[in-house]
């Protein structure tokens, strides 16, 4: 998956993700990242200028592969599935990513408030491609008659809102749990919360 990344550079980025997740961006040091990667601190600086430079590269090289490419593959695999099953698979993919990366994504969100370059990289490399994929999924299903004719932006933003909430719920609002069901969330998105009459159930 990461064959185009220099092995030492990849080791540094993987170690940085681990250190940032455990200690936060400001709490982690290049010395600790080097130790975790099994290299000298000088080797870190041969590949990166500083910690923020490492974070930039992670967003460019690693996050898109985990967050965007897996979603693209999931949507492709769901092309022939009926809408409910397809959407459930997509939500399962998003939940799996968030449960694995929530602490690191929180760091990106927080640091983006103070670094314009980081915010722009995240927007271009992660947010926009994911938005395009989810929007395109709903748009196609509307066009084929699987869904009623509504603005695809609405369900797309519902999913983004849920993912953002789940990102900050994990480890902050509540201890890390996996309480949410993709099946239940699919039901709410597709059916709403209004109780159906006996004739329609």
């Amino acid at each position: 998956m990461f064959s185009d990344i220099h092995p030492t550079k990849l080791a540094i980025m993987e170690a940085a993700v681990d250190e940032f997740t455990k200690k936060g961006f400001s709490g982690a040091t290049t010395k600790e990242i080097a130790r975790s990667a099994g290299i000298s601190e000088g080797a870190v600086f041969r590949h990166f200028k500083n910690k923020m430079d490492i974070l930039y590269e992670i967003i460019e090289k690693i996050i898109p592969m985990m967050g965007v490419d897996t979603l693209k593959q999931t949507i492709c695999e769901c092309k022939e599935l009926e809408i409910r099953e397809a959407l459930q698979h997509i939500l399962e993919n998003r939940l799996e990513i968030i449960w694995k990366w929530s602490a690191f994504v929180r760091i990106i969100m927080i640091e983006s408030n103070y670094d314009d370059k980081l915010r722009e990289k995240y927007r271009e490399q992660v947010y926009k491609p994911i938005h395009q994929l989810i929007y395109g999924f709903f748009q196609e299903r509307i066009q084929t008659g699987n869904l009623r004719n509504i603005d695809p932006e609405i369900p797309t933003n519902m999913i983004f809102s849920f993912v953002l909430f789940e990102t900050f719920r994990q480890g902050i609002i509540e201890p890390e749990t996996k309480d949410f069901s993709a099946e239940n969330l699919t039901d709410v998105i597709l059916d709403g919360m209004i109780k159906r009459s006996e004739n329609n159930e």
Side-chain angles (χ1 to χ4, degrees):
M1 181 181 287
F2 302 115
S3 58
D4 61 331
I5 303 175
H6 188 283
T8 302
K9 204 169 189 178
L10 178 60
I12 293 168
M13 288 191 284
E14 289 176 335
V17 169
D18 187 49
E19 292 298 320
F20 294 159
T21 299
K22 289 190 296 187
K23 300 169 184 174
F25 182 75
S26 60
T29 67
T30 51
K31 183 177 289 187
E32 290 166 333
I33 292 170
R35 186 186 303 121
S36 180
I39 59 175
S40 68
E41 190 175 12
V44 172
F45 290 117
R46 281 196 289 274
H47 290 276
F48 300 98
K49 297 175 184 176
N50 48 43
K51 281 195 304 181
M52 187 58 75
D53 197 35
I54 300 174
L55 196 54
Y56 292 155
E57 191 98 1
I58 291 170
I59 290 179
E60 286 186 1
K61 299 290 179 64
I62 293 183
I63 298 298
M65 289 186 182
M66 303 305 295
V68 180
D69 292 354
T70 61
L71 176 61
K72 186 183 297 183
Q73 181 180 347
T74 298
I75 290 177
C76 184
E77 291 170 352
C78 292
K79 207 166 185 65
E80 303 303 320
L81 298 179
E82 61 91 20
I83 181 62
R84 190 173 299 274
E85 187 177 2
L87 181 55
Q88 184 174 327
H89 281 304
I90 290 169
L91 292 171
E92 285 170 350
N93 169 265
R94 295 298 84 190
L95 284 172
E96 182 181 340
I97 293 297
I98 284 302
W99 287 333
K100 181 177 180 180
W101 290 84
S102 61
F104 185 69
V105 173
R106 287 197 297 271
I107 290 170
I108 295 174
M109 296 294 183
I110 292 168
E111 295 303 320
S112 291
N113 287 317
Y114 310 105
D115 191 289
D116 292 341
K117 184 177 178 180
L118 180 64
R119 183 166 58 250
E120 184 63 19
K121 282 182 178 290
Y122 184 78
R123 183 187 296 119
E124 295 299 322
Q125 300 289 331
V126 183
Y127 172 77
K128 283 187 177 180
I130 290 175
H131 181 280
Q132 184 177 16
L133 286 167
I134 297 175
Y135 184 97
F137 167 78
F138 283 116
Q139 185 178 48
E140 181 179 348
R141 293 298 179 131
I142 289 168
Q143 290 172 346
T144 56
N146 291 153
L147 296 171
R148 63 188 179 89
N149 189 23
I150 63 170
D151 184 353
E153 193 72 32
I154 295 172
T156 300
N157 286 338
M158 287 174 66
I159 292 177
F160 266 103
S161 298
F162 170 76
V163 169
L164 183 61
F165 168 75
E166 184 66 0
T167 298
F168 282 90
R169 189 182 75 93
Q170 292 290 318
I172 293 184
I173 299 174
E174 297 177 19
E176 293 192 6
T177 58
K178 298 183 179 180
D179 295 338
F180 288 108
S181 160
E183 181 179 2
N184 290 340
L185 186 57
T186 298
D187 289 343
V188 171
I189 291 174
L190 295 182
D191 301 331
M193 295 179 64
I194 297 295
K195 186 175 181 180
R196 293 171 292 176
S197 66
E198 293 294 331
N199 292 334
N200 292 330
E201 291 183 344

